[in-house]
Amino acid sequence: MKFAVISFPGSNCDEDLYYAIVDGLKEEAEIIPHTSTRLDGFDAVLVPGGFSYGDYLRTGAIAKFAPVMPALKAFAATGKPVLGICNGFQILTEAGLLPGSLQHNTNMQFICEPEPLRVANHNTMFTNDFAADAHITLPIAHGEGNYYCDADTLASLKANNQIVFTYSDNPNGSVDDIAGIMNEQGNVLGMMPHPERAVESLLGSSDGLGVFRSLLATFTRTV
Amino acid sequence: MFLAQIHVTYKPSILDPQGVAIKNAMHRLSFNGVDAVTQGKYFEVTLNADSKDAAEEQIDTICDTLLANPNMETYRYDVKELANQ
């Protein structure tokens, strides 16, 4: 399975993702610059965390016009998996690939902690490796991870089982404890916690590997 | 040449933690009459356009696609023609 990791100016989790795939999952990965206009030949696209374009204007607001974005939208439209983590999640909401937006944490602090989470939906291409209602721990590291959407959007997220991860002890003020959501089609996931920073016990947790294993299992089943 | 002065602010339904922190600081400074603070963004954009209407049309699109996130923000602006220099 071949993963593309998109690198924007200011991305800083691109290499972590690369090593999570290559060393953790033992699959292929390639870092793709934001100037690339093609994502042909990849089976999944990862949008990494960091501070793309310095978080100028709003997080993800400038990245959504990067040259690679039309290719990313076309890739998502084919139904193949797209995973945005942290700043990647912020970029996917700004680009309109996911509903809602990420605001400042309610306590106005940058939070960098291992965070207990619940897998709210394990019947997805991103979470099938987890047991139903699994409790896992992944690191979070963000100042703007407070997920917001209006009541209608929240109702449709719930109705379609699009809420994939929730916080056990909401750290940032997110609506309904939301830590990660997917699109209606189920092939685009955005999450604030960092699975790529939890892929071996040396890092404190290997729970994050489950996300990448799920993608691999889905890919293996469908090829 | 036209000058657009643009204000982008959170919708009233959105909690603005920065505004709350600033309000609390005002209370610490003993301005206890302060009831609420909203923080926003201010932009000045100078642009070429054939008319004021055409300039406003461009500014609308710029605000909708880039300067404001319609999910949580609203914007208002004022466009005026600059004297030839």
Side-chain angles (χ1 to χ4, degrees):
Chain A
M1 184 174 186
K2 198 167 178 194
F3 291 78
V5 180
I6 297 178
S7 181
F8 297 93
S11 293
N12 64 14
C13 298
D14 40 357
E15 295 196 7
D16 302 59
L17 267 170
Y18 176 88
Y19 288 111
I21 300 302
V22 173
D23 292 348
L25 194 65
K26 313 284 186 205
E27 293 292 322
E28 281 182 77
E30 192 178 328
I31 295 182
I32 300 296
H34 65 108
T35 47
S36 173
T37 54
R38 298 175 72 102
L39 290 165
D40 307 347
F42 291 102
D43 304 305
V45 175
L46 308 173
V47 188
F51 300 85
S52 58
Y53 301 89
D55 278 354
Y56 289 0
L57 191 58
R58 296 180 306 277
T59 56
I62 312 283
K64 75 170 162 178
F65 298 112
V68 75
M69 289 308 284
L72 177 65
K73 286 182 179 176
F75 186 91
T78 66
K80 289 182 185 175
V82 173
L83 168 59
I85 299 165
C86 199
N87 187 223
F89 186 10
Q90 296 163 338
I91 292 168
L92 294 179
T93 59
E94 278 285 342
L97 287 167
L98 290 172
S101 45
L102 284 312
Q103 292 184 262
H104 283 284
N105 298 342
T106 40
N107 68 359
M108 284 307 291
Q109 287 175 18
F110 189 97
I111 307 170
C112 187
E113 294 286 347
E115 196 64 38
L117 303 166
R118 189 174 75 85
V119 180
N121 181 354
H122 78 129
N123 290 312
T124 79
M125 59 171 83
F126 305 94
T127 51
N128 55 64
D129 192 62
F130 298 107
D133 210 31
H135 285 73
I136 61 172
T137 299
L138 295 178
I140 59 166
H142 59 247
E144 283 139 314
N146 175 358
Y147 181 78
Y148 169 79
C149 64
D150 60 29
D152 289 348
T153 307
L154 182 62
S156 80
L157 287 176
K158 285 180 176 171
N160 300 319
N161 291 316
Q162 287 171 253
I163 300 171
V164 179
F165 295 103
T166 54
Y167 298 110
S168 304
D169 183 15
N170 193 337
N172 56 21
S174 291
V175 163
D176 253 51
D177 303 329
I178 286 173
I181 54 155
M182 60 182 185
N183 63 347
E184 213 176 321
Q185 294 74 27
N187 72 306
V188 178
L189 172 74
M191 60 192 294
M192 290 312 296
H194 287 273
E196 81 283 9
R197 295 190 190 178
V199 293
E200 52 185 312
S201 51
L202 193 62
L203 295 173
S205 163
S206 57
D207 289 347
L209 205 50
V211 173
F212 306 112
R213 273 205 220 105
S214 301
L215 285 169
L216 180 58
T218 306
F219 175 74
T220 312
R221 262 204 309 278
T222 53
V223 172
Chain B
M1 192 76 94
F2 294 88
L3 169 68
Q5 296 170 297
I6 306 164
H7 293 268
V8 175
T9 50
Y10 284 120
K11 290 178 180 173
S13 57
I14 301 287
L15 174 73
D16 171 17
Q18 293 188 100
V20 172
I22 295 165
K23 182 186 79 175
N24 292 343
M26 290 176 182
H27 287 175
R28 282 199 298 278
L29 289 168
S30 302
F31 293 104
N32 295 314
V34 173
D35 182 48
V37 177
T38 310
Q39 181 175 334
K41 294 172 183 147
Y42 173 68
F43 305 89
E44 287 189 345
V45 179
T46 50
L47 72 166
N48 285 306
D50 293 335
S51 65
K52 190 178 168 196
D53 280 354
E56 288 185 347
E57 202 174 311
Q58 286 187 57
I59 292 298
D60 261 329
T61 309
I62 288 169
C63 287
D64 285 333
T65 54
L66 179 63
L67 295 186
N69 179 335
N71 216 354
M72 53 182 182
E73 293 171 325
T74 56
Y75 59 87
R76 61 191 161 81
Y77 59 80
D78 185 43
V79 173
K80 60 185 174 193
E81 189 161 13
L82 295 174
N84 286 329
Q85 293 173 344

